[in-house]
Amino acid sequence: MTCETLIFAATCDLAGHVRGKAFPSGDLPSRLKSGVGYTGSNIMLSAFGPIYATPFGTKGDLKLVPDEAALASVPGLDGKALQLALGDIRNLDGSLWSCCPRSFLKRAVAAMEDEFGLRLLSTFEQEFIYTGVEAAAGSSYAFDMYRRSGLLGEAIMTGLRTAGIAPDSFLPEAGDRQFEVTIDPAEGTRSADQAVLLREVVRGCAANLGARAILAPLLSPDGTSSGTHIHLSLRDLDGKPAMHDPQGLFGLSEAAQHFAAGIIAHMPAITALTAPSVSSYYRLRPDKWAPTWANIAAQDRGASLRVCPVTATTPEGIARQFNVEFRVVDAAASPYMALGAILHAGLDGLRNKLALPAHPQEADADYAAAGVSPLPASLGEALDRLEASSFARAALGEALMTAYVMLKRSEIAALDGLTEQQVCDRYAEVY
Ligand code: GLU
Ligand code: MG
């Protein structure tokens, strides 16, 4: 039997899940205009499945319109390839819907370009737990664990290339059965598309090997966490690096200092978007190699914003490699919302010419005494910070702010009364 090829049109939604509808691939030309049916309450589908509460009710029609540039082949089961087309949620007249996650990012990408002649080049690193191996003592970063993972690394690299993504590296990470995949950077919205595809490639490859890739922030509150670090650098409209100045603070150009200052200033508010699950906050605790303060530091993996080292030795090479890493992210976050939040915050730093805060650089510094803001300690606190931020209200817009906060407050309520371990278990089922 020859089967008809389908294309699955999807977004990575507010819950960080890839959801949508499939249509026959021959219909692509017309679907690029008409999209697939969508309604406001679809965006209120929770991490765990049900719609708990919605500002939209049963009313209203929208369309999820695939973007041909974001059509990729990703691994399905039994070696079969699936066509996945990421896209935008639009009103029926074709305009972008105010609560579309990809459009939230696109708005910031366009403003950076129009107002400052800058583009963001970024890439997402993804850590995850692979259930196809057994935990083994001494296996952190070990060749032995790499060997035990069998075909996983090669399958992921092949899957990435097939999806049109240039792979960078694959490694056994520090935790039990933990691995990491890194990919080459891309500009603007494409980078978030790549991150969505990367996660589906990893999940598909693990499923093909009869196992699961669990991308949830943690399997247990005391265990090793899985983050989704995002590396960021700026380019001008001719593609020239615009991030580095050897004389600048931390080696950052003037524009990059404003950009980074915006991210630091708004970090406590945007954490609700980048670390969006209840268990995300078990990760943002001391001794996880994850951040706890809204700080910037050179080459410190405990910082929220890490100024990364370069291996190049020529000025051009250094300028090209120079980047900062945003570490307050995990895979419960839609890449569109996470990168959008970072970019809107950086844009606010550029618009207001914000200066980087002077704060201590030692790893054991007394940040509280130095007036550095701690990151929120729970999703509830993060949502309070988000709602209180006039910057976030303007960046998201009223409709998206209302929908997001309602979705996430319902998620907290759905987990009420569970122990931290039970909360981790719930997220491990769905991410
Ligand atoms: N697993 C750590 C996290 O949750 C990061 C370890 C690393 O620096 O790669 O962010
Ligand atoms: Mg890592």
Side-chain angles (χ1 to χ4, degrees), residues 104 262-273 341 344-345 348 354 376 381-398 401-402 405 409:
F104 171 62
I263 296 173
I264 298 289
H266 299 305
M267 185 100 67
I270 64 170
T271 299
L273 303 171
H344 278 285
D348 192 66
L354 296 185
E381 190 189 326
L383 290 167
D384 292 343
R385 299 296 299 262
L386 185 76
E387 282 191 289
S389 161
S390 52
F391 148 76
R393 201 160 280 280
L396 289 164
E398 282 302 327
M401 174 70 98
T402 302
V405 171
R409 296 245 189 246

PDB file of all heavy atoms in Angstrom, residues 104 262-273 341 344-345 348 354 376 381-398 401-402 405 409:
ATOM      1  N   PHE A 104       4.821  36.825  18.729  1.00  0.00           N
ATOM      2  CA  PHE A 104       5.424  37.558  19.860  1.00  0.00           C
ATOM      3  C   PHE A 104       6.925  37.724  19.584  1.00  0.00           C
ATOM      4  O   PHE A 104       7.486  38.812  19.738  1.00  0.00           O
ATOM      5  CB  PHE A 104       5.166  36.770  21.152  1.00  0.00           C
ATOM      6  CG  PHE A 104       5.905  37.275  22.364  1.00  0.00           C
ATOM      7  CD1 PHE A 104       5.682  38.550  22.868  1.00  0.00           C
ATOM      8  CD2 PHE A 104       6.837  36.449  23.027  1.00  0.00           C
ATOM      9  CE1 PHE A 104       6.367  39.007  24.000  1.00  0.00           C
ATOM     10  CE2 PHE A 104       7.508  36.888  24.148  1.00  0.00           C
ATOM     11  CZ  PHE A 104       7.279  38.171  24.637  1.00  0.00           C
ATOM     12  N   GLY A 262      19.214  45.243  29.384  1.00  0.00           N
ATOM     13  CA  GLY A 262      17.759  45.064  29.320  1.00  0.00           C
ATOM     14  C   GLY A 262      17.366  43.673  29.799  1.00  0.00           C
ATOM     15  O   GLY A 262      16.387  43.494  30.534  1.00  0.00           O
ATOM     16  N   ILE A 263      18.139  42.686  29.380  1.00  0.00           N
ATOM     17  CA  ILE A 263      17.833  41.300  29.779  1.00  0.00           C
ATOM     18  C   ILE A 263      17.981  41.150  31.293  1.00  0.00           C
ATOM     19  O   ILE A 263      17.122  40.551  31.956  1.00  0.00           O
ATOM     20  CB  ILE A 263      18.757  40.311  29.028  1.00  0.00           C
ATOM     21  CG1 ILE A 263      18.479  40.367  27.519  1.00  0.00           C
ATOM     22  CG2 ILE A 263      18.573  38.891  29.555  1.00  0.00           C
ATOM     23  CD1 ILE A 263      19.447  39.558  26.668  1.00  0.00           C
ATOM     24  N   ILE A 264      19.050  41.728  31.856  1.00  0.00           N
ATOM     25  CA  ILE A 264      19.253  41.626  33.320  1.00  0.00           C
ATOM     26  C   ILE A 264      18.129  42.363  34.053  1.00  0.00           C
ATOM     27  O   ILE A 264      17.553  41.852  35.006  1.00  0.00           O
ATOM     28  CB  ILE A 264      20.631  42.236  33.723  1.00  0.00           C
ATOM     29  CG1 ILE A 264      21.773  41.469  33.077  1.00  0.00           C
ATOM     30  CG2 ILE A 264      20.775  42.299  35.239  1.00  0.00           C
ATOM     31  CD1 ILE A 264      22.014  40.089  33.614  1.00  0.00           C
ATOM     32  N   ALA A 265      17.815  43.576  33.574  1.00  0.00           N
ATOM     33  CA  ALA A 265      16.803  44.390  34.270  1.00  0.00           C
ATOM     34  C   ALA A 265      15.448  43.683  34.297  1.00  0.00           C
ATOM     35  O   ALA A 265      14.726  43.746  35.292  1.00  0.00           O
ATOM     36  CB  ALA A 265      16.665  45.753  33.582  1.00  0.00           C
ATOM     37  N   HIS A 266      15.086  43.001  33.210  1.00  0.00           N
ATOM     38  CA  HIS A 266      13.753  42.391  33.120  1.00  0.00           C
ATOM     39  C   HIS A 266      13.752  40.900  33.435  1.00  0.00           C
ATOM     40  O   HIS A 266      12.710  40.247  33.352  1.00  0.00           O
ATOM     41  CB  HIS A 266      13.158  42.656  31.730  1.00  0.00           C
ATOM     42  CG  HIS A 266      12.988  44.114  31.451  1.00  0.00           C
ATOM     43  ND1 HIS A 266      12.267  44.938  32.292  1.00  0.00           N
ATOM     44  CD2 HIS A 266      13.456  44.905  30.457  1.00  0.00           C
ATOM     45  CE1 HIS A 266      12.304  46.177  31.817  1.00  0.00           C
ATOM     46  NE2 HIS A 266      13.015  46.187  30.712  1.00  0.00           N
ATOM     47  N   MET A 267      14.911  40.382  33.813  1.00  0.00           N
ATOM     48  CA  MET A 267      15.024  38.938  34.075  1.00  0.00           C
ATOM     49  C   MET A 267      13.986  38.433  35.091  1.00  0.00           C
ATOM     50  O   MET A 267      13.319  37.414  34.828  1.00  0.00           O
ATOM     51  CB  MET A 267      16.437  38.640  34.575  1.00  0.00           C
ATOM     52  CG  MET A 267      16.748  37.200  34.786  1.00  0.00           C
ATOM     53  SD  MET A 267      17.668  36.504  33.422  1.00  0.00           S
ATOM     54  CE  MET A 267      19.232  37.313  33.494  1.00  0.00           C
ATOM     55  N   PRO A 268      13.802  39.100  36.253  1.00  0.00           N
ATOM     56  CA  PRO A 268      12.831  38.556  37.213  1.00  0.00           C
ATOM     57  C   PRO A 268      11.404  38.487  36.644  1.00  0.00           C
ATOM     58  O   PRO A 268      10.628  37.610  37.017  1.00  0.00           O
ATOM     59  CB  PRO A 268      12.904  39.534  38.395  1.00  0.00           C
ATOM     60  CG  PRO A 268      14.277  40.135  38.286  1.00  0.00           C
ATOM     61  CD  PRO A 268      14.522  40.269  36.798  1.00  0.00           C
ATOM     62  N   ALA A 269      11.085  39.385  35.698  1.00  0.00           N
ATOM     63  CA  ALA A 269       9.737  39.352  35.096  1.00  0.00           C
ATOM     64  C   ALA A 269       9.637  38.299  33.998  1.00  0.00           C
ATOM     65  O   ALA A 269       8.652  37.554  33.921  1.00  0.00           O
ATOM     66  CB  ALA A 269       9.378  40.731  34.542  1.00  0.00           C
ATOM     67  N   ILE A 270      10.671  38.193  33.163  1.00  0.00           N
ATOM     68  CA  ILE A 270      10.549  37.269  32.023  1.00  0.00           C
ATOM     69  C   ILE A 270      10.822  35.817  32.407  1.00  0.00           C
ATOM     70  O   ILE A 270      10.587  34.911  31.607  1.00  0.00           O
ATOM     71  CB  ILE A 270      11.432  37.685  30.813  1.00  0.00           C
ATOM     72  CG1 ILE A 270      12.922  37.622  31.151  1.00  0.00           C
ATOM     73  CG2 ILE A 270      11.026  39.046  30.293  1.00  0.00           C
ATOM     74  CD1 ILE A 270      13.828  37.798  29.926  1.00  0.00           C
ATOM     75  N   THR A 271      11.282  35.597  33.641  1.00  0.00           N
ATOM     76  CA  THR A 271      11.507  34.214  34.084  1.00  0.00           C
ATOM     77  C   THR A 271      10.214  33.403  33.986  1.00  0.00           C
ATOM     78  O   THR A 271      10.246  32.205  33.691  1.00  0.00           O
ATOM     79  CB  THR A 271      12.082  34.207  35.515  1.00  0.00           C
ATOM     80  OG1 THR A 271      13.330  34.904  35.488  1.00  0.00           O
ATOM     81  CG2 THR A 271      12.349  32.804  36.017  1.00  0.00           C
ATOM     82  N   ALA A 272       9.070  34.056  34.185  1.00  0.00           N
ATOM     83  CA  ALA A 272       7.778  33.353  34.063  1.00  0.00           C
ATOM     84  C   ALA A 272       7.569  32.796  32.662  1.00  0.00           C
ATOM     85  O   ALA A 272       6.808  31.844  32.471  1.00  0.00           O
ATOM     86  CB  ALA A 272       6.636  34.308  34.423  1.00  0.00           C
ATOM     87  N   LEU A 273       8.242  33.393  31.666  1.00  0.00           N
ATOM     88  CA  LEU A 273       8.096  32.938  30.283  1.00  0.00           C
ATOM     89  C   LEU A 273       9.194  31.950  29.887  1.00  0.00           C
ATOM     90  O   LEU A 273       8.979  31.096  29.029  1.00  0.00           O
ATOM     91  CB  LEU A 273       8.147  34.139  29.323  1.00  0.00           C
ATOM     92  CG  LEU A 273       7.107  35.236  29.573  1.00  0.00           C
ATOM     93  CD1 LEU A 273       7.396  36.462  28.711  1.00  0.00           C
ATOM     94  CD2 LEU A 273       5.698  34.725  29.298  1.00  0.00           C
ATOM     95  N   ALA A 341      10.864  36.711  24.697  1.00  0.00           N
ATOM     96  CA  ALA A 341      11.017  37.443  25.965  1.00  0.00           C
ATOM     97  C   ALA A 341      12.408  38.049  26.066  1.00  0.00           C
ATOM     98  O   ALA A 341      12.574  39.219  26.451  1.00  0.00           O
ATOM     99  CB  ALA A 341      10.765  36.492  27.138  1.00  0.00           C
ATOM    100  N   HIS A 344      12.675  40.967  23.446  1.00  0.00           N
ATOM    101  CA  HIS A 344      11.922  42.158  23.873  1.00  0.00           C
ATOM    102  C   HIS A 344      12.666  42.862  25.008  1.00  0.00           C
ATOM    103  O   HIS A 344      12.723  44.095  25.047  1.00  0.00           O
ATOM    104  CB  HIS A 344      10.513  41.770  24.337  1.00  0.00           C
ATOM    105  CG  HIS A 344       9.529  41.591  23.203  1.00  0.00           C
ATOM    106  ND1 HIS A 344       8.985  42.660  22.515  1.00  0.00           N
ATOM    107  CD2 HIS A 344       8.984  40.482  22.654  1.00  0.00           C
ATOM    108  CE1 HIS A 344       8.134  42.199  21.581  1.00  0.00           C
ATOM    109  NE2 HIS A 344       8.126  40.872  21.646  1.00  0.00           N
ATOM    110  N   ALA A 345      13.230  42.079  25.942  1.00  0.00           N
ATOM    111  CA  ALA A 345      13.943  42.683  27.078  1.00  0.00           C
ATOM    112  C   ALA A 345      15.201  43.395  26.584  1.00  0.00           C
ATOM    113  O   ALA A 345      15.501  44.528  27.003  1.00  0.00           O
ATOM    114  CB  ALA A 345      14.298  41.606  28.102  1.00  0.00           C
ATOM    115  N   ASP A 348      14.303  46.627  24.932  1.00  0.00           N
ATOM    116  CA  ASP A 348      13.998  47.675  25.908  1.00  0.00           C
ATOM    117  C   ASP A 348      15.299  48.287  26.445  1.00  0.00           C
ATOM    118  O   ASP A 348      15.373  49.496  26.655  1.00  0.00           O
ATOM    119  CB  ASP A 348      13.161  47.093  27.055  1.00  0.00           C
ATOM    120  CG  ASP A 348      12.584  48.192  27.931  1.00  0.00           C
ATOM    121  OD1 ASP A 348      11.737  48.962  27.426  1.00  0.00           O
ATOM    122  OD2 ASP A 348      13.017  48.320  29.096  1.00  0.00           O
ATOM    123  N   LEU A 354      19.950  51.343  28.602  1.00  0.00           N
ATOM    124  CA  LEU A 354      20.208  50.856  29.966  1.00  0.00           C
ATOM    125  C   LEU A 354      21.684  50.479  30.105  1.00  0.00           C
ATOM    126  O   LEU A 354      22.310  50.011  29.151  1.00  0.00           O
ATOM    127  CB  LEU A 354      19.330  49.644  30.286  1.00  0.00           C
ATOM    128  CG  LEU A 354      17.817  49.877  30.327  1.00  0.00           C
ATOM    129  CD1 LEU A 354      17.092  48.607  30.785  1.00  0.00           C
ATOM    130  CD2 LEU A 354      17.454  51.042  31.247  1.00  0.00           C
ATOM    131  N   PRO A 376      12.930  34.706  40.734  1.00  0.00           N
ATOM    132  CA  PRO A 376      11.751  34.254  41.489  1.00  0.00           C
ATOM    133  C   PRO A 376      11.967  32.821  41.983  1.00  0.00           C
ATOM    134  O   PRO A 376      12.624  32.020  41.327  1.00  0.00           O
ATOM    135  CB  PRO A 376      10.625  34.309  40.459  1.00  0.00           C
ATOM    136  CG  PRO A 376      11.107  35.218  39.385  1.00  0.00           C
ATOM    137  CD  PRO A 376      12.594  35.115  39.366  1.00  0.00           C
ATOM    138  N   GLU A 381       5.408  33.216  42.116  1.00  0.00           N
ATOM    139  CA  GLU A 381       6.123  34.480  42.327  1.00  0.00           C
ATOM    140  C   GLU A 381       6.547  35.069  40.972  1.00  0.00           C
ATOM    141  O   GLU A 381       6.463  36.284  40.767  1.00  0.00           O
ATOM    142  CB  GLU A 381       7.354  34.201  43.202  1.00  0.00           C
ATOM    143  CG  GLU A 381       8.033  35.446  43.697  1.00  0.00           C
ATOM    144  CD  GLU A 381       9.377  35.130  44.385  1.00  0.00           C
ATOM    145  OE1 GLU A 381       9.517  34.080  45.027  1.00  0.00           O
ATOM    146  OE2 GLU A 381      10.295  35.960  44.233  1.00  0.00           O
ATOM    147  N   ALA A 382       6.983  34.206  40.059  1.00  0.00           N
ATOM    148  CA  ALA A 382       7.403  34.694  38.731  1.00  0.00           C
ATOM    149  C   ALA A 382       6.227  35.349  38.005  1.00  0.00           C
ATOM    150  O   ALA A 382       6.382  36.387  37.357  1.00  0.00           O
ATOM    151  CB  ALA A 382       7.969  33.540  37.909  1.00  0.00           C
ATOM    152  N   LEU A 383       5.042  34.742  38.124  1.00  0.00           N
ATOM    153  CA  LEU A 383       3.864  35.322  37.465  1.00  0.00           C
ATOM    154  C   LEU A 383       3.499  36.666  38.095  1.00  0.00           C
ATOM    155  O   LEU A 383       3.086  37.597  37.395  1.00  0.00           O
ATOM    156  CB  LEU A 383       2.683  34.343  37.542  1.00  0.00           C
ATOM    157  CG  LEU A 383       2.840  33.087  36.664  1.00  0.00           C
ATOM    158  CD1 LEU A 383       1.784  32.035  37.031  1.00  0.00           C
ATOM    159  CD2 LEU A 383       2.744  33.417  35.173  1.00  0.00           C
ATOM    160  N   ASP A 384       3.677  36.775  39.423  1.00  0.00           N
ATOM    161  CA  ASP A 384       3.435  38.073  40.080  1.00  0.00           C
ATOM    162  C   ASP A 384       4.367  39.127  39.491  1.00  0.00           C
ATOM    163  O   ASP A 384       3.963  40.252  39.210  1.00  0.00           O
ATOM    164  CB  ASP A 384       3.702  37.979  41.595  1.00  0.00           C
ATOM    165  CG  ASP A 384       2.690  37.090  42.314  1.00  0.00           C
ATOM    166  OD1 ASP A 384       1.623  36.805  41.727  1.00  0.00           O
ATOM    167  OD2 ASP A 384       2.979  36.664  43.458  1.00  0.00           O
ATOM    168  N   ARG A 385       5.650  38.746  39.302  1.00  0.00           N
ATOM    169  CA  ARG A 385       6.631  39.688  38.760  1.00  0.00           C
ATOM    170  C   ARG A 385       6.283  40.068  37.318  1.00  0.00           C
ATOM    171  O   ARG A 385       6.432  41.208  36.904  1.00  0.00           O
ATOM    172  CB  ARG A 385       8.051  39.098  38.806  1.00  0.00           C
ATOM    173  CG  ARG A 385       8.581  38.761  40.189  1.00  0.00           C
ATOM    174  CD  ARG A 385       8.729  39.993  41.078  1.00  0.00           C
ATOM    175  NE  ARG A 385       9.657  40.986  40.561  1.00  0.00           N
ATOM    176  CZ  ARG A 385      10.918  41.118  40.947  1.00  0.00           C
ATOM    177  NH1 ARG A 385      11.414  40.328  41.877  1.00  0.00           N
ATOM    178  NH2 ARG A 385      11.691  42.069  40.443  1.00  0.00           N
ATOM    179  N   LEU A 386       5.821  39.082  36.562  1.00  0.00           N
ATOM    180  CA  LEU A 386       5.444  39.333  35.165  1.00  0.00           C
ATOM    181  C   LEU A 386       4.284  40.327  35.115  1.00  0.00           C
ATOM    182  O   LEU A 386       4.315  41.316  34.369  1.00  0.00           O
ATOM    183  CB  LEU A 386       5.045  38.017  34.492  1.00  0.00           C
ATOM    184  CG  LEU A 386       4.728  38.094  32.997  1.00  0.00           C
ATOM    185  CD1 LEU A 386       6.013  38.207  32.172  1.00  0.00           C
ATOM    186  CD2 LEU A 386       3.950  36.864  32.526  1.00  0.00           C
ATOM    187  N   GLU A 387       3.260  40.048  35.938  1.00  0.00           N
ATOM    188  CA  GLU A 387       2.064  40.904  35.912  1.00  0.00           C
ATOM    189  C   GLU A 387       2.357  42.324  36.389  1.00  0.00           C
ATOM    190  O   GLU A 387       1.712  43.270  35.954  1.00  0.00           O
ATOM    191  CB  GLU A 387       0.976  40.295  36.802  1.00  0.00           C
ATOM    192  CG  GLU A 387       0.253  39.144  36.146  1.00  0.00           C
ATOM    193  CD  GLU A 387      -0.974  38.739  36.944  1.00  0.00           C
ATOM    194  OE1 GLU A 387      -0.788  38.166  38.040  1.00  0.00           O
ATOM    195  OE2 GLU A 387      -2.093  39.007  36.492  1.00  0.00           O
ATOM    196  N   ALA A 388       3.347  42.452  37.294  1.00  0.00           N
ATOM    197  CA  ALA A 388       3.654  43.780  37.842  1.00  0.00           C
ATOM    198  C   ALA A 388       4.557  44.590  36.910  1.00  0.00           C
ATOM    199  O   ALA A 388       4.816  45.764  37.167  1.00  0.00           O
ATOM    200  CB  ALA A 388       4.336  43.612  39.208  1.00  0.00           C
ATOM    201  N   SER A 389       5.052  43.983  35.841  1.00  0.00           N
ATOM    202  CA  SER A 389       6.022  44.651  34.984  1.00  0.00           C
ATOM    203  C   SER A 389       5.330  45.385  33.837  1.00  0.00           C
ATOM    204  O   SER A 389       4.686  44.765  32.983  1.00  0.00           O
ATOM    205  CB  SER A 389       7.002  43.593  34.435  1.00  0.00           C
ATOM    206  OG  SER A 389       7.663  44.079  33.288  1.00  0.00           O
ATOM    207  N   SER A 390       5.488  46.720  33.797  1.00  0.00           N
ATOM    208  CA  SER A 390       4.851  47.475  32.711  1.00  0.00           C
ATOM    209  C   SER A 390       5.562  47.154  31.391  1.00  0.00           C
ATOM    210  O   SER A 390       4.944  47.139  30.325  1.00  0.00           O
ATOM    211  CB  SER A 390       4.862  48.978  32.993  1.00  0.00           C
ATOM    212  OG  SER A 390       6.158  49.380  33.310  1.00  0.00           O
ATOM    213  N   PHE A 391       6.857  46.858  31.475  1.00  0.00           N
ATOM    214  CA  PHE A 391       7.589  46.429  30.269  1.00  0.00           C
ATOM    215  C   PHE A 391       6.936  45.169  29.689  1.00  0.00           C
ATOM    216  O   PHE A 391       6.641  45.096  28.489  1.00  0.00           O
ATOM    217  CB  PHE A 391       9.075  46.167  30.592  1.00  0.00           C
ATOM    218  CG  PHE A 391       9.658  45.077  29.743  1.00  0.00           C
ATOM    219  CD1 PHE A 391       9.997  45.319  28.415  1.00  0.00           C
ATOM    220  CD2 PHE A 391       9.801  43.779  30.241  1.00  0.00           C
ATOM    221  CE1 PHE A 391      10.480  44.295  27.605  1.00  0.00           C
ATOM    222  CE2 PHE A 391      10.286  42.754  29.448  1.00  0.00           C
ATOM    223  CZ  PHE A 391      10.627  43.009  28.113  1.00  0.00           C
ATOM    224  N   ALA A 392       6.717  44.157  30.551  1.00  0.00           N
ATOM    225  CA  ALA A 392       6.185  42.872  30.070  1.00  0.00           C
ATOM    226  C   ALA A 392       4.772  43.051  29.517  1.00  0.00           C
ATOM    227  O   ALA A 392       4.395  42.444  28.514  1.00  0.00           O
ATOM    228  CB  ALA A 392       6.189  41.842  31.195  1.00  0.00           C
ATOM    229  N   ARG A 393       3.995  43.906  30.167  1.00  0.00           N
ATOM    230  CA  ARG A 393       2.619  44.164  29.725  1.00  0.00           C
ATOM    231  C   ARG A 393       2.625  44.751  28.306  1.00  0.00           C
ATOM    232  O   ARG A 393       1.851  44.351  27.444  1.00  0.00           O
ATOM    233  CB  ARG A 393       1.964  45.127  30.717  1.00  0.00           C
ATOM    234  CG  ARG A 393       0.477  45.139  30.747  1.00  0.00           C
ATOM    235  CD  ARG A 393      -0.040  45.731  32.062  1.00  0.00           C
ATOM    236  NE  ARG A 393       0.018  44.745  33.136  1.00  0.00           N
ATOM    237  CZ  ARG A 393      -0.865  43.783  33.333  1.00  0.00           C
ATOM    238  NH1 ARG A 393      -1.901  43.661  32.527  1.00  0.00           N
ATOM    239  NH2 ARG A 393      -0.732  42.922  34.324  1.00  0.00           N
ATOM    240  N   ALA A 394       3.560  45.677  28.066  1.00  0.00           N
ATOM    241  CA  ALA A 394       3.635  46.298  26.736  1.00  0.00           C
ATOM    242  C   ALA A 394       4.170  45.291  25.707  1.00  0.00           C
ATOM    243  O   ALA A 394       3.689  45.234  24.570  1.00  0.00           O
ATOM    244  CB  ALA A 394       4.537  47.525  26.789  1.00  0.00           C
ATOM    245  N   ALA A 395       5.154  44.494  26.105  1.00  0.00           N
ATOM    246  CA  ALA A 395       5.762  43.551  25.147  1.00  0.00           C
ATOM    247  C   ALA A 395       4.769  42.455  24.764  1.00  0.00           C
ATOM    248  O   ALA A 395       4.662  42.094  23.596  1.00  0.00           O
ATOM    249  CB  ALA A 395       7.030  42.947  25.754  1.00  0.00           C
ATOM    250  N   LEU A 396       4.063  41.925  25.748  1.00  0.00           N
ATOM    251  CA  LEU A 396       3.114  40.841  25.469  1.00  0.00           C
ATOM    252  C   LEU A 396       1.820  41.366  24.870  1.00  0.00           C
ATOM    253  O   LEU A 396       1.215  40.719  24.008  1.00  0.00           O
ATOM    254  CB  LEU A 396       2.770  40.084  26.756  1.00  0.00           C
ATOM    255  CG  LEU A 396       3.871  39.197  27.367  1.00  0.00           C
ATOM    256  CD1 LEU A 396       3.520  38.845  28.808  1.00  0.00           C
ATOM    257  CD2 LEU A 396       4.070  37.925  26.557  1.00  0.00           C
ATOM    258  N   GLY A 397       1.384  42.542  25.338  1.00  0.00           N
ATOM    259  CA  GLY A 397       0.045  43.041  25.011  1.00  0.00           C
ATOM    260  C   GLY A 397      -0.942  42.452  26.010  1.00  0.00           C
ATOM    261  O   GLY A 397      -0.688  41.382  26.575  1.00  0.00           O
ATOM    262  N   GLU A 398      -2.045  43.176  26.229  1.00  0.00           N
ATOM    263  CA  GLU A 398      -3.008  42.770  27.267  1.00  0.00           C
ATOM    264  C   GLU A 398      -3.565  41.363  27.040  1.00  0.00           C
ATOM    265  O   GLU A 398      -3.678  40.563  27.962  1.00  0.00           O
ATOM    266  CB  GLU A 398      -4.177  43.758  27.344  1.00  0.00           C
ATOM    267  CG  GLU A 398      -3.868  45.052  28.077  1.00  0.00           C
ATOM    268  CD  GLU A 398      -3.396  44.876  29.519  1.00  0.00           C
ATOM    269  OE1 GLU A 398      -3.854  43.924  30.198  1.00  0.00           O
ATOM    270  OE2 GLU A 398      -2.552  45.677  29.952  1.00  0.00           O
ATOM    271  N   MET A 401      -0.936  38.652  27.759  1.00  0.00           N
ATOM    272  CA  MET A 401      -0.650  38.645  29.206  1.00  0.00           C
ATOM    273  C   MET A 401      -1.778  37.927  29.952  1.00  0.00           C
ATOM    274  O   MET A 401      -1.540  37.038  30.783  1.00  0.00           O
ATOM    275  CB  MET A 401      -0.498  40.091  29.713  1.00  0.00           C
ATOM    276  CG  MET A 401      -0.345  40.224  31.214  1.00  0.00           C
ATOM    277  SD  MET A 401       1.243  39.599  31.829  1.00  0.00           S
ATOM    278  CE  MET A 401       2.190  41.101  31.952  1.00  0.00           C
ATOM    279  N   THR A 402      -3.019  38.283  29.653  1.00  0.00           N
ATOM    280  CA  THR A 402      -4.172  37.680  30.342  1.00  0.00           C
ATOM    281  C   THR A 402      -4.224  36.167  30.093  1.00  0.00           C
ATOM    282  O   THR A 402      -4.378  35.375  31.036  1.00  0.00           O
ATOM    283  CB  THR A 402      -5.488  38.320  29.823  1.00  0.00           C
ATOM    284  OG1 THR A 402      -5.399  39.728  30.062  1.00  0.00           O
ATOM    285  CG2 THR A 402      -6.709  37.757  30.523  1.00  0.00           C
ATOM    286  N   VAL A 405      -1.109  34.280  31.834  1.00  0.00           N
ATOM    287  CA  VAL A 405      -1.196  34.208  33.302  1.00  0.00           C
ATOM    288  C   VAL A 405      -2.328  33.257  33.707  1.00  0.00           C
ATOM    289  O   VAL A 405      -2.173  32.443  34.637  1.00  0.00           O
ATOM    290  CB  VAL A 405      -1.354  35.626  33.908  1.00  0.00           C
ATOM    291  CG1 VAL A 405      -1.667  35.552  35.393  1.00  0.00           C
ATOM    292  CG2 VAL A 405      -0.082  36.438  33.663  1.00  0.00           C
ATOM    293  N   ARG A 409      -1.535  30.039  35.949  1.00  0.00           N
ATOM    294  CA  ARG A 409      -2.122  29.951  37.302  1.00  0.00           C
ATOM    295  C   ARG A 409      -2.956  28.670  37.395  1.00  0.00           C
ATOM    296  O   ARG A 409      -2.992  28.031  38.448  1.00  0.00           O
ATOM    297  CB  ARG A 409      -2.973  31.185  37.602  1.00  0.00           C
ATOM    298  CG  ARG A 409      -2.174  32.480  37.653  1.00  0.00           C
ATOM    299  CD  ARG A 409      -2.179  33.119  39.042  1.00  0.00           C
ATOM    300  NE  ARG A 409      -1.590  34.440  39.012  1.00  0.00           N
ATOM    301  CZ  ARG A 409      -0.448  34.791  39.628  1.00  0.00           C
ATOM    302  NH1 ARG A 409       0.234  33.902  40.328  1.00  0.00           N
ATOM    303  NH2 ARG A 409       0.008  36.028  39.558  1.00  0.00           N
TER     304      ARG A 409
END
